[in-house]
Amino acid sequence: MKKLLLIRHAKATHDNGYIDFERPLKRSGIHDATVMAQRLHAENIIPKLIVSSPSLRTIATADIFSQHLSVAAPLTNERIYDASEVTLLHIIDQFPDEHEFIALVGHNPGIAEMLYYFTGKAKDVKPGAVALIGFDIDTWTEVNMNSGELIYYDEP
């Protein structure tokens, strides 16, 4: 069985002076990401690997999760930033099979689209939200439409 934890980055500033890629988390976003990581820890939902978009707000969110879940520093994949559903599917499809449980930290609409694609569950995925999806498969290349089950969902 494989498990995928989809994480939408926490709340980021929309202040002028930042290009989209470099928008930092708001104080409330840092708080929300911390709370969500603590909730996952309390539920023993701890991925073995975190893969993140390299944008400032997503890598900051991923760092908070890795610290609170005692997971290695997140890996980045530049293709996650501004990715379409097809691109995200290709990224997940190429996850290393030795990892049964991987977290992907990204952006909307991609995170919400992947949740719907894998589970058929449509949700307004808010900043900082998490969705744990279980797959009855042996390799990441087997993930496909409606192949997952939503096991856990929470938002700040």
Side-chain angles (χ1 to χ4, degrees):
M1 179 179 205
K2 300 286 188 201
K3 293 187 288 186
L4 175 65
L5 182 65
L6 296 173
I7 303 171
R8 181 175 175 199
H9 68 76
K11 292 177 193 160
T13 187
H14 288 283
D15 293 344
N16 292 334
Y18 294 104
I19 62 170
D20 184 66
F21 192 82
E22 295 176 355
R23 290 192 299 125
L25 293 179
K26 291 181 172 183
R27 228 178 255 148
S28 61
I30 294 168
H31 174 266
D32 289 350
T34 301
V35 167
M36 295 308 295
Q38 290 169 341
R39 287 181 191 171
L40 290 178
H41 190 270
E43 294 288 334
N44 199 31
I45 299 173
I46 302 172
K48 301 300 180 203
L49 177 67
I50 298 175
V51 181
S52 176
S53 160
S55 76
L56 184 57
R57 62 192 179 276
T58 48
I59 198 66
T61 300
D63 282 339
I64 291 168
F65 277 83
S66 71
Q67 291 167 12
H68 286 275
L69 298 175
S70 298
V71 178
L75 302 177
T76 58
N77 183 321
E78 59 193 34
R79 293 175 29 220
I80 297 171
Y81 180 73
D82 206 23
S84 68
E85 181 181 292
V86 171
T87 300
L88 287 173
L89 185 57
H90 286 304
I91 291 166
I92 294 165
D93 194 50
Q94 294 172 359
F95 280 167
D97 285 325
E98 65 266 18
H99 296 291
E100 297 294 316
F101 186 7
I102 298 177
L104 185 146
V105 186
H107 310 264
N108 258 1
I111 295 295
E113 289 171 350
M114 294 316 302
L115 174 60
Y116 181 75
Y117 179 83
F118 289 135
T119 69
K121 307 280 190 223
K123 293 198 176 281
D124 178 23
V125 180
K126 307 241 186 277
V130 299
L132 176 61
I133 303 169
F135 299 92
D136 189 17
I137 57 174
D138 296 319
T139 66
W140 287 106
T141 58
E142 297 174 70
V143 297
N144 57 48
M145 182 180 272
N146 296 320
S147 64
E149 176 187 352
L150 182 60
I151 298 170
Y152 179 90
Y153 181 86
D154 200 3
E155 56 190 38

